[in-house]
Amino acid sequence: MNDIHTSVEMIELIRKTGFYPSEINTDLNLLQEITQLKTQKNAVILAHYYQNPDIQDIADYIGDSLGLAQQAQKSTADIILFAGVHFMAETAKILNPSRKVLIPDLKAGCSLSDSCPPALFSIFKEKYPDHKVISYINCSAEIKAMSDVICTSSNAKKIVDSFPTSQPLIFAPDKNLGAYVNKQTNREMLLWNGACMVHEIFSAQKLMKLKVQYPEALIIAHPECEEHVLSYADFIGSTTQLLDFTINNSHSSYIVVTETGIIHQMQTSSPEKNFIPAPPDNACACNDCPHMKLNTLEKIYLALKYEQPELIMDEEIMQKARIPLERMLELS
Ligand code: 13P
Ligand code: SF4
């Protein structure tokens, strides 16, 4: 716990903010301290399902990207601590700019968001002036500012269907979700060539071996997975939709093809059922998102105590990005 003070992220924090946290007492009861700080400071913790179980258990709200955006928009707390990744905290700040938004680790980014650099996307977009742009929420505020509407994995079809079929569309940044929605809606949206490092790591071959081992198990997958992996799925949906499916479906066993964090809520909601994480393409734990898993209880405690790192954003970008985000929430 003590080495948190010498870690790269703390050095980065000190450089950026001139702020240095005092010693963390290793005897602290972090759960108790975090609960007290939340009350004292009128703070809420919003957490994504891919967070570690200990973080999910202290959160005031756990959800998928759409649910988290909706919660952030209506929050009356003075502080929103976002236990997720950078684009999610940005979304919260854009939708509710008068709140102080804290992110426990500034380095918690997203490979999918990084796969769409704003300067390159701007050049791409200029080539297709008659196209409207739908961007998946897993992108930077700059990309959102260049978009007509945002979507998440739970409402992508609905958002795409809100445009007349004659309207040419660009879908960014996830080519896998884009291809899946193209199929669902019978469209040919132009797809930006981005992807998530976690959802592209699953091996269809290993998935089939697992299915042979557990023939009764249903395969449930996130639409950020590649098409050949999705082709084996019995159900495809956002994290909340996958969780709801396991609650409402009568099968007793599921092979879960997404980041492993969601299994905590599945197991809590259905303790009698069996959840098997789908194997990655190699021997690593690559179906854990390295960005999501940067957050820890220690970092959450420090962030609430010192109200740092605070997310500070460019006003003009925020204003531009708010328009397509609010359009999505109206359509959802
Ligand atoms: P959802 O929780 O909206 O399904 O998104 C998954 C994801 O990859 C978030 O980074
Ligand atoms: Fe980004 Fe993939 Fe991690 Fe989600 S799981 S935050 S899309 S890298």
Side-chain angles (χ1 to χ4, degrees), residues 32-321:
Q32 207 174 304
E33 294 292 326
I34 290 170
T35 309
Q36 270 173 18
L37 283 166
K38 275 199 311 187
T39 315
Q40 246 175 46
K41 301 192 175 200
N42 187 26
V44 281
I45 298 181
L46 305 185
H48 188 265
Y49 288 122
Y50 295 164
Q51 293 297 288
N52 280 318
D54 57 358
I55 297 180
Q56 293 189 37
D57 291 346
I58 51 139
D60 297 285
Y61 177 84
I62 320 162
D64 67 1
S65 306
L66 178 63
L68 288 163
Q70 287 164 330
Q71 286 295 319
Q73 188 188 38
K74 67 180 182 203
S75 177
T76 53
D78 293 320
I79 294 177
I80 297 174
L81 183 136
F82 216 108
V85 291
H86 202 270
F87 77 81
M88 294 179 172
E90 277 190 344
T91 301
K93 184 72 186 171
I94 294 165
L95 289 170
N96 204 341
S98 60
R99 312 291 135 189
K100 184 180 262 192
V101 175
L102 303 177
I103 178 161
D105 191 319
L106 282 172
K107 293 198 312 312
C110 167
S111 62
L112 178 51
S113 175
D114 290 347
S115 67
C116 194
L120 294 186
F121 186 71
S122 168
I123 297 167
F124 174 74
K125 190 188 150 178
E126 270 172 29
K127 285 193 199 153
Y128 304 100
D130 57 333
H131 284 54
K132 299 277 185 200
V133 177
I134 303 178
S135 292
Y136 186 36
I137 199 162
N138 298 37
C139 65
S140 64
E142 287 84 353
I143 297 293
K144 290 185 175 80
M146 287 187 248
S147 308
D148 293 286
V149 62
I150 305 303
C151 74
T152 74
S153 52
S154 63
N155 62 18
K157 180 178 182 305
K158 198 176 194 177
I159 300 289
V160 172
D161 280 340
S162 72
F163 289 92
T165 44
S166 54
Q167 173 62 56
L169 297 169
I170 290 173
F171 189 91
D174 189 358
K175 64 177 178 190
N176 295 317
L177 176 63
Y180 173 64
V181 181
N182 262 345
K183 252 179 142 179
Q184 275 188 316
T185 59
N186 209 14
R187 300 221 188 200
E188 286 183 6
M189 296 186 291
L190 277 181
L191 308 180
W192 179 262
N193 187 14
C196 158
M197 63 194 281
V198 179
H199 288 89
E200 282 212 325
I201 203 79
F202 295 109
S203 149
Q205 210 182 0
K206 287 191 182 174
L207 191 59
M208 279 307 90
K209 278 191 186 161
L210 208 56
K211 179 73 181 170
V212 171
Q213 213 180 327
Y214 300 96
E216 75 294 351
L218 290 185
I219 297 178
I220 58 172
H222 195 280
E224 285 176 25
C225 296
E226 291 173 294
E227 197 174 355
H228 67 286
V229 169
L230 290 179
S231 68
Y232 294 107
D234 297 295
F235 180 75
I236 297 168
S238 77
T239 50
T240 298
Q241 290 167 341
L242 294 177
L243 172 63
D244 289 347
F245 180 78
T246 63
I247 294 171
N248 299 322
N249 182 270
S250 60
H251 274 69
S252 59
S253 195
Y254 302 87
I255 298 172
V256 183
V257 198
T258 188
E259 214 271 1
T260 56
I262 185 69
I263 292 178
H264 178 56
Q265 290 306 318
M266 290 176 172
Q267 200 69 77
T268 307
S269 306
S270 308
E272 74 291 358
K273 295 185 180 176
N274 185 25
F275 298 99
I276 306 144
D281 211 6
N282 48 37
C284 72
C286 314
N287 46 354
D288 275 335
C289 172
H291 308 286
M292 289 277 183
K293 287 336 199 237
L294 279 176
N295 296 325
T296 61
L297 282 187
E298 287 83 355
K299 290 178 193 174
I300 290 175
Y301 163 72
L302 287 170
L304 281 175
K305 183 166 177 172
Y306 297 102
E307 299 183 24
Q308 288 285 353
E310 181 186 356
L311 189 74
I312 307 289
M313 295 180 67
D314 181 273
E315 278 298 329
E316 199 185 322
I317 296 282
M318 279 212 287
Q319 269 178 32
K320 286 187 182 156

